[in-house]
Amino acid sequence: MNKKHKILVIEDEDDIRELIAFNLELNNMNVLKAKDGEQGIKISEKEHPDIIILDLMLPGIDGFEVCRYLKKNKATRDIIIIMLTARAEDPDVVTGLEIGADDYITKPFSPRILIARINATLRRKNEIGRDQPAPMQVKVHDITIDIPRHEVYVKDEFINLSVTEFEILKFLASNPGWVFSRNQIINSVKGANSPITLRSVDVQILGLRKKLGSQGRFIETIRGVGYRLQSE
């Protein structure tokens, strides 16, 4: 029997909260509900849900503060957070992703799209957490990354990358099609306490594109969000 994933919905509007909960329950998910940020934090710390669906415009503590708190708390920082909000401006999306949200969906929304995004995020988390040998090579487009040797080839041509460039490319190429914020790239490459700056990620990406030549075009800038390596 498949595990029933535990989903916490933090939403102050009753009708929207119930609509989300209804659709999640139809898809065999165990739903918890909170009507404000404080209640959401308490439930998160007690129940440790797999995913939180988080509205931003909440009474009292807003969604950004809830996300910041949970991501700084050792007991809750690994919970997947999907922001679901009417705030669709680029600065809000950027802020949400930079403080640790795993996805950002704007209202009005399709329940089917929400379920699809939840399932995609869960699959990715399971793949990352699965106990399996690390791949020896990553291949995407005409780029080959030899992980043990720390070598990169475009077709058969060796490309000389710095350590940081190599780690960024390996991270993006291991997750083709996924968009990552600069903070997510930093945390994955150097660790959460790295002194590397957001601006230096842009510089590293610029250098990567140049060194990869024709294949550099597959590293895409997603305006207001971050970067991804285009999937094949």
Side-chain angles (χ1 to χ4, degrees):
M1 183 180 294
N2 291 334
K3 174 189 173 184
K4 240 185 168 180
H5 292 291
K6 190 184 297 183
I7 315 289
L8 170 60
V9 181
I10 308 177
E11 168 64 62
D12 64 316
E13 294 189 37
D14 295 343
D15 55 344
I16 295 178
R17 187 172 63 250
E18 293 307 316
L19 172 65
I20 296 170
F22 174 75
N23 281 279
L24 294 176
E25 288 165 351
L26 279 180
N27 284 269
N28 198 37
M29 296 180 185
N30 181 15
V31 182
L32 306 170
K33 306 172 192 175
K35 62 183 178 181
D36 58 44
E38 291 184 2
Q39 186 181 29
I41 287 173
K42 289 178 182 177
I43 294 173
S44 300
E45 293 177 327
K46 180 181 179 181
E47 299 290 341
H48 299 284
D50 298 295
I51 290 184
I52 296 172
I53 307 299
L54 177 64
D55 185 27
L56 292 186
M57 294 182 286
L58 298 168
I61 305 173
D62 70 16
F64 287 130
E65 289 304 314
V66 172
C67 185
R68 285 191 186 96
Y69 177 87
L70 294 175
K71 289 300 181 179
K72 288 179 180 178
N73 185 336
K74 185 177 180 180
T76 57
R77 67 187 178 193
D78 292 330
I79 298 173
I80 295 168
I81 294 179
I82 298 178
M83 290 182 171
L84 180 63
T85 175
R87 295 171 64 166
E89 294 79 11
D90 285 352
D92 293 323
V93 179
V94 172
T95 299
L97 294 174
E98 294 289 8
I99 64 177
D102 295 272
D103 205 346
Y104 195 107
I105 302 173
T106 57
K107 299 175 183 176
F109 66 97
S110 160
R112 290 179 63 189
I113 298 244
L114 175 61
I115 297 298
R117 299 280 275 272
I118 288 171
N119 288 333
T121 307
L122 286 168
R123 281 196 304 272
R124 181 169 173 270
K125 182 179 181 181
N126 290 338
E127 288 168 2
I128 292 173
R130 193 176 297 146
D131 185 14
Q132 59 183 3
M136 302 294 283
Q137 283 191 344
V138 176
K139 293 184 178 181
V140 59
H141 303 291
D142 287 326
I143 303 168
T144 301
I145 304 170
D146 188 320
I147 294 174
R149 295 176 181 272
H150 275 243
E151 293 177 352
V152 173
Y153 296 85
V154 170
K155 298 183 179 177
D156 293 324
E157 181 183 354
F158 172 72
I159 307 299
N160 188 20
L161 301 182
S162 69
V163 172
T164 302
E165 288 171 340
F166 178 87
E167 293 297 332
I168 291 175
L169 179 61
K170 181 180 75 172
F171 175 63
L172 294 176
S174 297
N175 302 279
W178 282 86
V179 181
F180 296 98
S181 69
R182 292 165 180 81
N183 263 341
Q184 288 174 314
I185 292 172
I186 292 169
N187 292 343
S188 296
V189 171
K190 293 289 188 179
N193 297 318
S194 169
I196 188 172
T197 65
L198 298 181
R199 173 58 184 158
S200 66
V201 172
D202 298 331
V203 174
Q204 298 289 340
I205 292 289
L206 187 64
L208 260 177
R209 284 175 174 152
K210 184 176 180 181
K211 291 181 179 180
L212 292 172
S214 64
Q215 300 298 296
R217 70 184 187 278
F218 295 118
I219 301 179
E220 300 179 318
T221 300
I222 307 303
R223 182 174 174 268
V225 182
Y227 298 98
R228 73 176 171 194
L229 194 144
Q230 190 181 107
S231 59
E232 292 186 279

